[in-house]
Amino acid sequence: KGRVSMESPQREASIHGGAGGLLKPPAAKRHPVATTHHGITRTDDYAWLRADNWQQVVRDPAALAPEIRAYLDAENAYAAASMADVEELRLRLFDEMRGRIKEDDSSVPAPDGAYAYSTRYAHGAQHPMIVRSNRDGSEEQVLLDANAMAEGKAYFRLGGFAHSHDHRLLAYSSDESGNEYFTIRIRDAATGTDLPDVIAETGGSAIWANDGKTLFYVWIDENHRPAKVYRHIVGSDPATDVVVYSDPDPGFFIAIGQTQSRRFIVIDTHDHETSEARVIDSNEPEGEPRLVAPREVGQEYSVDHGGDRFFILTNAGSAEDFKVVTAPETAPGRA
């Protein structure tokens, strides 16, 4: 049936089982490896397909062992040959689904100060544009055009973006290799030029303090775990950034955010059933993170702020469907 172009006639014949033959999947070689854990020995014939240098491969796919790559290439070629006869149908279905989508879509403008910010897609574009306009809707300014940024690149993904509270700067992140390590850059909103600050190996999100020059972000370690929160000062060398928080438990992950009041930056640490939060005063970004309530296994909570109180969503006290409690910002503990 459907055939695809291969690197050589011999390779094509092997995938199709020879001239006129049926499709035959590639067979991985067997190299038995025995391991013993808890007194039980297990033999894995395909352990060789597990790359020991996977951390390096995530950053540089060319570091993958040639024998593993050759097998994956053969699997991909087999899949392409197997599905070749439905390629026309696949394209027709794609066009039909695309025809039912509003391609020139945009988000609802989010007002902030003198501006309203939104995300917009141009017709036929794969990536968004980040725009802002005056509150009356006039004079739209394109802050980021991810389509232009992606041009000529084999892969591009726009990550998070956040404007400083004085509207002068825009922090944004991107991944240009597909390894999900995002690089943060800072753009001058007035001129559209990027500053020299380049912060690599982040989770993609950046949170501004109220001074308009201090930025918080999460660093991703070699195992792709969100492991540390850093503080960056615009214009400084990222190598001198200060570690604000790191969690000693490898089972916990770290995220950052900001309360709706913009008064506090929130450092959230959590696993699948337990959470813990710390806050930093946005007006004092060099201050130490303050613990809201120590972690207790099985208890989750998240923090917001308004007026002089924290609003906390939690399942503490057997609140199976969660409950909302408040606490003074000076003493937010469970008491």
Side-chain angles (χ1 to χ4, degrees):
K1 291 191 175 180
R3 299 171 70 84
V4 296
S5 60
M6 299 294 169
E7 294 179 358
S8 66
Q10 293 79 9
R11 185 180 180 193
E12 183 172 331
S14 69
I15 292 174
H16 286 268
L22 298 174
L23 285 170
K24 185 177 180 180
K29 296 178 181 179
R30 295 173 179 264
H31 299 298
V33 174
T35 57
T36 301
H37 300 283
H38 310 294
I40 300 173
T41 299
R42 180 178 64 90
T43 300
D44 185 355
D45 291 338
Y46 306 105
W48 65 274
L49 284 168
R50 185 187 182 106
D52 293 332
N53 66 332
W54 66 268
Q55 292 100 331
Q56 181 184 2
V57 173
V58 166
R59 287 179 166 82
D60 179 16
L64 184 64
E67 61 271 23
I68 297 178
R69 178 177 295 278
Y71 177 72
L72 294 178
D73 285 344
E75 286 279 10
N76 287 336
Y78 168 72
S82 299
M83 300 296 292
D85 58 342
V86 297
E87 178 67 11
E88 182 180 348
L89 174 62
R90 186 185 70 83
L91 293 174
R92 190 164 71 247
L93 290 172
F94 175 80
D95 289 340
E96 180 178 339
M97 287 184 283
R98 184 172 180 173
R100 297 172 183 269
I101 296 173
K102 188 177 185 296
E103 290 193 58
D104 55 345
D105 201 5
S106 62
S107 65
V108 176
D112 182 19
Y115 298 98
Y117 292 81
S118 61
T119 302
R120 181 164 61 80
Y121 284 84
H123 188 83
Q126 295 189 33
H127 303 279
M129 292 185 291
I130 312 304
V131 301
R132 74 178 180 187
S133 59
N134 293 331
R135 289 290 289 272
D136 60 6
S138 63
E139 298 183 23
E140 180 183 89
Q141 177 189 2
V142 177
L143 298 173
L144 286 176
D145 183 352
N147 296 286
M149 297 162 67
E151 190 172 346
K153 297 181 174 68
Y155 180 90
F156 181 86
R157 179 184 173 188
L158 183 66
F161 51 89
H163 62 273
S164 59
H165 301 318
D166 58 10
H167 306 281
R168 293 188 309 106
L169 301 173
L170 181 75
Y172 70 94
S173 65
S174 62
D175 171 14
E176 297 184 6
S177 66
N179 61 14
E180 297 185 352
Y181 284 94
F182 288 86
T183 298
I184 294 175
R185 293 177 172 83
I186 301 173
R187 175 163 295 189
D188 185 312
T191 64
T193 58
D194 287 346
L195 305 183
D197 312 52
V198 177
I199 308 170
E201 299 184 347
T202 81
S205 297
I207 305 294
W208 289 97
N210 288 339
D211 61 5
K213 66 177 183 180
T214 305
L215 198 65
F216 293 84
Y217 63 92
V218 176
W219 173 78
I220 307 296
D221 69 11
E222 66 277 2
N223 293 320
H224 218 280
R225 170 178 170 261
K228 296 179 180 179
V229 175
Y230 277 85
R231 182 177 67 237
H232 175 75
I233 306 299
V234 174
S236 66
D237 184 350
T240 65
D241 288 355
V242 176
V243 176
V244 175
Y245 177 78
S246 63
D247 199 289
D249 188 336
F252 273 69
F253 295 83
I254 301 175
I256 56 172
Q258 192 169 45
T259 60
Q260 293 187 63
S261 65
R262 290 184 173 174
R263 176 68 193 286
F264 292 97
I265 293 157
V266 181
I267 300 173
D268 172 73
T269 56
H270 60 275
D271 62 8
H272 296 293
E273 64 171 357
T274 305
S275 62
E276 183 179 72
R278 288 168 173 78
V279 294
I280 299 172
D281 192 325
S282 291
N283 295 320
E284 301 177 7
E286 295 187 4
E288 289 295 319
R290 185 156 55 95
L291 179 64
V292 174
R295 65 187 67 170
E296 292 186 11
V297 176
Q299 292 196 9
E300 301 175 78
Y301 69 91
S302 58
V303 179
D304 212 326
H305 175 266
D308 60 354
R309 303 186 71 78
F310 285 114
F311 292 79
I312 302 169
L313 178 69
T314 180
N315 67 345
S318 301
E320 182 177 347
D321 294 320
F322 287 76
K323 63 183 177 182
V324 177
V325 299
T326 65
E329 64 182 41
T330 54
R334 287 184 176 86

